Amino acid sequence: MNVSSVIKIESLKPWDTGDKNTDETTGCEFDESHPYSNCKFKVRPDLNSCIYLCQGGIAHLGLDCVVLPINEVSLRQTSLAQEVHSAAGPLLANYYKTLKDIKTGSVILGTGYDLPARYIIHAKEPGISAKHQSAVETSLHRCYCNALQKAAENNVASIAFAPLYETYDPALKEQMAHLALGTVRCCLEKLSPSIQTVVFCVLEDSVELYTYFLRAYFPRSVEEAVANASLIPSYSRGEWGERVDADRAIRITDLVGIKRSTSIETESESSSVTGEMHNDTGKDIDPTEATRHSFALMSGDHDSKRMKQMRSMTNEKMLASQDRIYQRLLRLARTDDLSEIISSKALYLCGDDRDGAPVAVLVAKYINTQQMNLDKALLYFIQMLDSIVKKKYTLVYFHTFSQSCNHPPMSFIRRVYNVLDKRYRQNLKNLLMVHPTLWSRVLAWFFTTFSASEVRGQISSVKNIPDLYKYIAPDQIDIPPFVIDYDLKVNAEIYHKQNMQSPKPDGSLALEDSGNRMSL
């Protein structure tokens, strides 16, 4: 690798730069009533000086060690994998062919090949799954924790982490960021000063997220710790940062009658030969009695406990979390390159409906889910509609000539519905489905019945353009030409009947479309 392209740690900005905490502040004693006393993570200038955050470039970092996810890098499907393979040379690809039957969560220390780093810690990361979050969290925790422990065992002072997970779900991405930062903080408390430098090399869309959460896990002042303490999840952590749930713990107690005198022990040994069972008093007991012990009965209905915890979570907290995710997506929408989505013309704004509500148009035929980046499509949707959802608005959906490749998966639609601000649901006046098929109406009914009951009453099926004009004036909406051609062909009798009732002065028939008149 070219020496000039190597990124040295001196060129990066440490987390404790600016807003540093003084010894007097950290040395102050606070009584139990002070908010700082309840903060899970205190101000540690020695740990803050170890943390660095940079955008990408892990293949060019001149550190002692970098941590790479085995599955992602070996497949070479992401920009991270391609960058690492290009910088490390062909020997890395050959090495991955030899890695078989490695348990998820385990790590392997190897040479750095042609990378500037001396070593590579290969971590077997789990596949991100919303259905198995507990297993994913446990495996990812082991990856981070085992990597730091392996580095300390081999006298590796500086280490950099590539993203050990790949997900486009904003809520899941936040959860994984909490796990990474919480684990590293707890591990550093035990491994410092063996580990002197930890660099988080994250993707562009995660820099802001990590900066936001670093204030809670590595606060630089008492004020910063108190202000951001609410960001940290409420669950308990073990000494290495692992999640500890009381309802997952198995408690084993002594069995009934385990303490016996010498004479009773002798009697028990003789009775075991004949198959008899006795308790402490020497009386016979039912063998099924063991199944009624607290160990067999466990400790209650954990599902009911979890439901009570969820009910205790106030609507304000849930809305605040949803609003935080939405605002982050809105900031990304304003800075990301969405030119590819804009050029598709699948979504655009028009005029107003007959009641003065702004109108947005979505054209299914222009959506190609096999080629279009759906996450960027979501950002463009938010960018376009954020300005009109402050009040009542109408959304027109042209289903005309659409095929299966034009329909996003139901899981994506459900995720979009959950991510959007509450104004999208509360201020939706009409959702007009133009030229719907039987299958599209069934899907709409299914989705609004089981996932989006709040907007069920706002959805209307529009079979032809004249019916659409009952909601929106012709000069207030731009209709794609292929939609008009389809409507003229399928609903020719309707236009013929209308024009027979209201002929033009010259005797010809006409159809109004978006302010233009077309003679038939």
Side-chain angles (χ1 to χ4, degrees), residues 87-155:
L91 293 178
L92 178 63
N94 296 332
Y95 177 72
Y96 275 119
K97 295 178 181 179
T98 64
L99 298 181
K100 298 180 180 179
D101 300 329
I102 303 175
K103 293 183 179 180
T104 304
S106 60
V107 299
I108 301 175
L109 179 67
T111 179
Y113 298 102
D114 293 338
L115 294 179
R118 293 170 54 197
Y119 304 106
I120 297 177
I121 292 182
H122 309 274
K124 186 62 176 294
E125 84 285 12
I128 299 300
S129 171
K131 296 182 179 179
H132 308 288
Q133 290 191 29
S134 297
V136 169
E137 289 179 9
T138 302
S139 299
L140 270 178
H141 164 75
R142 289 175 179 171
C143 286
Y144 285 104
C145 185
N146 290 341
L148 290 169
Q149 291 177 350
K150 180 71 71 173
E153 292 171 2
N154 291 272
N155 299 319

Side-chain angles (χ1 to χ4, degrees), residues 55-230:
Q55 179 181 324
I58 192 169
H60 303 279
L61 283 176
L63 302 180
D64 291 338
C65 178
V66 295
V67 182
L68 301 178
I70 292 177
N71 292 332
E72 182 177 347
V73 174
S74 61
L75 294 176
R76 305 193 197 181
Q77 293 180 348
T78 63
S79 57
L80 165 68
Q82 295 168 3
E83 179 185 14
V84 170
H85 272 278
S86 176
L91 293 178
L92 178 63
N94 296 332
Y95 177 72
Y96 275 119
K97 295 178 181 179
T98 64
L99 298 181
K100 298 180 180 179
D101 300 329
I102 303 175
K103 293 183 179 180
T104 304
S106 60
V107 299
I108 301 175
L109 179 67
T111 179
Y113 298 102
D114 293 338
L115 294 179
R118 293 170 54 197
Y119 304 106
I120 297 177
I121 292 182
H122 309 274
K124 186 62 176 294
E125 84 285 12
I128 299 300
S129 171
K131 296 182 179 179
H132 308 288
Q133 290 191 29
S134 297
V136 169
E137 289 179 9
T138 302
S139 299
L140 270 178
H141 164 75
R142 289 175 179 171
C143 286
Y144 285 104
C145 185
N146 290 341
L148 290 169
Q149 291 177 350
K150 180 71 71 173
E153 292 171 2
N154 291 272
N155 299 319
V156 174
S158 57
I159 184 172
F161 286 94
L164 299 184
Y165 54 90
E166 184 67 27
T167 176
Y168 296 103
D169 188 337
L172 197 54
K173 185 173 291 187
E174 281 195 8
Q175 186 176 346
M176 298 301 107
H178 279 297
L179 186 147
L181 295 174
T183 301
V184 171
R185 168 64 194 243
C186 293
C187 289
L188 283 181
E189 290 179 352
K190 299 182 73 65
L191 298 175
S192 178
S194 299
I195 304 295
Q196 300 176 4
T197 301
V198 176
V199 181
F200 291 101
C201 294
V202 298
L203 302 179
E204 180 181 2
D205 59 351
S206 299
V207 173
E208 184 179 359
L209 176 66
Y210 269 71
T211 303
Y212 187 59
F213 287 155
L214 274 170
R215 300 188 183 104
Y217 290 96
F218 294 89
R220 294 161 293 187
S221 65
V222 171
E223 293 76 11
E224 191 172 63
V226 173
N228 297 280
S230 60

Side-chain angles (χ1 to χ4, degrees), residues 391-427:
K391 57 182 181 180
K392 293 293 182 180
Y393 71 99
T394 294
L395 180 61
V396 179
Y397 169 67
F398 288 111
H399 192 70
T400 316
F401 283 142
S402 63
Q403 301 176 1
S404 58
C405 62
N406 305 125
H407 305 151
M410 186 60 68
S411 58
F412 175 79
I413 297 175
R414 189 179 296 108
R415 180 162 68 89
V416 170
Y417 181 81
N418 293 330
V419 164
L420 293 180
D421 188 275
K422 62 180 180 180
R423 299 172 300 166
Y424 286 79
R425 300 184 289 273
Q426 294 177 350
N427 294 332

Side-chain angles (χ1 to χ4, degrees), residues 331-398:
R331 289 192 292 270
L332 283 175
R334 291 169 178 170
T335 58
D336 207 347
D337 181 15
L338 305 177
S339 56
E340 179 183 354
I341 309 299
I342 297 174
S343 63
S344 67
K345 298 182 180 180
L347 176 68
Y348 52 90
L349 301 181
C350 294
D352 301 330
D353 64 12
R354 294 192 180 274
D355 294 327
V359 176
V361 175
L362 182 63
V363 184
K365 185 180 178 182
Y366 294 158
I367 301 174
N368 190 330
T369 58
Q370 298 177 354
Q371 300 178 359
M372 182 179 292
N373 187 323
L374 293 181
D375 292 287
K376 288 195 174 184
L378 170 59
L379 294 180
Y380 182 63
F381 185 88
I382 291 175
Q383 182 189 44
M384 292 292 291
L385 268 66
D386 182 74
S387 60
I388 69 171
V389 298
K390 300 176 182 178
K391 57 182 181 180
K392 293 293 182 180
Y393 71 99
T394 294
L395 180 61
V396 179
Y397 169 67
F398 288 111

Side-chain angles (χ1 to χ4, degrees), residues 5 22 178 185 235 292 305 322 336 424 462 501:
S5 64
T22 62
H178 279 297
R185 168 64 194 243
Y235 57 77
R292 291 193 290 273
K305 291 181 181 180
Q322 184 183 30
D336 207 347
Y424 286 79
V462 179
Q501 293 175 354

